[in-house]
Amino acid sequence: MLIVTGGLGFIGSNLVYGLNKINQNNIIICDTANSKLKKNYLKKAKYKKIISPSNFFYFLEKNKKKIKYIFHLGAITATTSLDFKKLLKNNLEFSIKILKFCTNNKIGFIYASSASTYGDGSNGFNDNENYVYLNKLKPLNLYGRSKHFFDLYISEKVKKKKKKLPVQWVGLKFFNVYGKNEKHKKKQMSIISYLTPLINKNQKINLFKSHNKNFKDGEQKRDFIHVSDCISVILWFYKNKKISGLFNVGTGKARTFIDTIKILFKQLNKKEKINFINTPKNIRKHYQYFTKANLNKLKKYGYKKKFKDIEDGIKLFVKENKENY
């Protein structure tokens, strides 16, 4: 039995399909099934049932001898959330309880961290679980802090070698993920998913102006990664159970917003209509101007599959978008 928390969400639903492709169908999904849109994501997927987060730990205890692995992708992912208490309860405390369960019952554990934990990037984008290094990182928003605290919690256990951890534990620092099954996220979707319907309606696209002298308007950069590449990484770790640690999941390339949106216009066969607006003041101080995954560690441990560049990723996204909607 495999558990996927957040299995009705973006990366989670894609993972369920990925597991199906390697003939894993004995899957239990933990998620809040309050959206027809989210349920529709899995209409062609094979899984056993969906359980609510409120019943999750009761289910785990009742079935602990049957559970082989937990993929923990469930979280509050709103980067603009100001309810830190709620973020800590869901993204930190819930995760710690799963980690302890996996440790006590010798169950493998993969969880979603985030590139938002790196903050402004001044301390680099190194997927190092060393506590001293991690403690230097300063996430720019509360969501990033909640994810960072869990990375730190595990790092402290690594530092104190007497502290036990699961037989395999892997934290994946996802960079800017885009792809199918994002629509439920609304304004929290990737910019590629968010702008596609607007471009299809021939609307003018607004991009944020730069409020950083080191970047021109539209030249803010992100490491955009297609969700299919994220699933490939997750499944690779699942097959390589002797490897544990924190790892970046990005392409290793930073692309500007203006180039990315121009590629999207081209793939959608629409005329470019781009306008620049001021970044809202309430998010300016939380805004990341540059992200780029350092993939040296992932490659060192033996991951060899190439990541899609933004041109190929958007081409696939547009194809999937037509097929699914």
Side-chain angles (χ1 to χ4, degrees):
M1 181 186 294
L2 307 178
I3 309 285
V4 179
T5 72
L8 291 174
F10 174 31
I11 299 177
S13 62
N14 280 282
L15 175 60
V16 173
Y17 284 106
L19 289 167
N20 287 170
K21 285 181 180 179
I22 59 170
N23 298 314
Q24 296 290 345
N25 304 325
N26 188 12
I27 301 168
I28 304 296
I29 292 168
C30 173
D31 210 329
T32 304
N34 59 357
S35 164
K36 288 183 180 179
L37 179 60
K38 288 172 72 176
K39 285 183 181 179
N40 196 48
Y41 292 158
L42 294 181
K43 64 182 179 182
K44 296 180 181 178
K46 295 178 182 178
Y47 59 94
K48 294 299 181 182
K49 65 177 180 178
I50 299 169
I51 57 175
S52 69
S54 59
N55 294 325
F56 184 56
F57 292 103
Y58 171 78
F59 180 87
L60 292 186
E61 285 299 327
K62 192 176 178 181
N63 295 277
K64 58 187 175 184
K65 292 183 179 179
K66 300 177 184 176
I67 300 168
K68 303 298 182 185
Y69 217 92
I70 295 181
F71 302 90
H72 180 37
L73 304 176
I76 293 177
T77 58
T79 57
T80 55
S81 176
L82 298 177
D83 190 342
F84 197 41
K85 187 175 180 179
K86 187 175 181 180
L87 282 165
L88 289 177
K89 183 179 180 180
N90 286 272
N91 296 357
L92 177 63
E93 294 168 17
F94 195 84
S95 301
I96 289 173
K97 286 183 73 174
I98 299 175
L99 179 74
K100 288 179 177 178
F101 174 82
C102 289
T103 301
N104 294 336
N105 294 284
K106 297 181 180 180
I107 293 168
F109 176 68
I110 289 178
Y111 75 94
S113 182
S114 170
S116 66
T117 58
Y118 289 117
D120 64 7
S122 58
N123 288 297
F125 297 93
N126 301 314
D127 42 2
N128 187 337
E129 60 258 19
N130 178 276
Y131 187 84
V132 175
Y133 169 73
L134 283 179
N135 212 27
K136 292 178 182 178
L137 302 181
K138 304 296 179 186
L140 298 174
N141 55 51
L142 297 179
Y143 162 75
R145 284 177 64 188
S146 69
K147 286 290 188 179
H148 182 53
F149 285 166
F150 187 57
D151 291 345
L152 282 170
Y153 179 86
I154 291 182
S155 175
E156 194 167 24
K157 286 183 171 293
V158 173
K159 186 175 68 171
K160 298 176 181 178
K161 294 181 180 179
K162 292 180 181 179
K163 296 285 185 178
K164 291 183 178 179
L165 283 165
V167 288
Q168 182 189 25
W169 68 271
V170 178
L172 299 177
K173 288 182 177 276
F174 294 114
F175 278 65
N176 286 72
V177 187
Y178 65 96
K180 63 181 180 181
N181 298 357
E182 281 194 81
K183 287 199 168 185
H184 67 285
K185 295 176 70 176
K186 298 179 180 178
K187 289 186 177 181
Q188 292 294 319
M189 287 190 285
S190 70
I191 191 170
I192 294 166
S193 291
Y194 183 74
L195 294 182
T196 292
L198 303 181
I199 293 173
N200 277 328
K201 293 176 184 176
N202 297 306
Q203 293 185 20
K204 187 178 287 186
I205 298 308
N206 291 323
L207 296 181
F208 289 152
K209 289 181 179 179
S210 173
H211 300 274
N212 181 325
K213 63 182 181 180
N214 296 318
F215 295 85
K216 294 179 181 179
D217 292 345
E219 294 191 4
Q220 303 95 317
K221 290 185 175 181
R222 291 282 190 279
D223 189 334
F224 295 102
I225 179 168
H226 192 275
V227 68
S228 61
D229 285 329
C230 297
I231 303 308
S232 294
V233 172
I234 294 173
L235 295 178
W236 183 81
F237 278 108
Y238 174 62
K239 293 173 185 176
N240 290 273
K241 293 183 170 60
K242 292 183 179 180
I243 301 173
S244 293
L246 275 178
F247 293 86
N248 286 332
V249 184
T251 64
K253 298 176 182 177
R255 298 295 293 265
T256 66
F257 277 98
I258 191 70
D259 282 349
T260 301
I261 300 311
K262 284 185 175 184
I263 293 165
L264 185 56
F265 270 105
K266 184 177 180 180
Q267 286 296 327
L268 292 170
N269 293 312
K270 295 292 183 179
K271 185 178 178 181
E272 290 178 16
K273 295 180 181 180
I274 300 173
N275 182 48
F276 289 97
I277 61 171
N278 288 324
T279 306
K281 289 184 179 180
N282 64 317
I283 66 170
R284 279 186 201 178
K285 64 180 180 180
H286 309 305
Y287 189 82
Q288 284 180 302
Y289 276 83
F290 179 85
T291 65
K292 180 184 174 183
N294 182 332
L295 298 178
N296 290 339
K297 185 177 178 182
L298 188 63
K299 291 177 181 177
K300 178 184 175 183
Y301 276 80
Y303 189 82
K304 296 178 180 178
K305 191 172 181 180
K306 290 185 178 181
F307 295 99
K308 298 173 189 67
D309 59 28
I310 196 68
E311 288 83 1
D312 290 336
I314 288 179
K315 186 176 181 179
L316 175 59
F317 168 79
V318 170
K319 179 184 176 183
E320 290 174 334
N321 202 55
K322 288 178 180 177
E323 290 174 352
N324 287 280
Y325 304 108

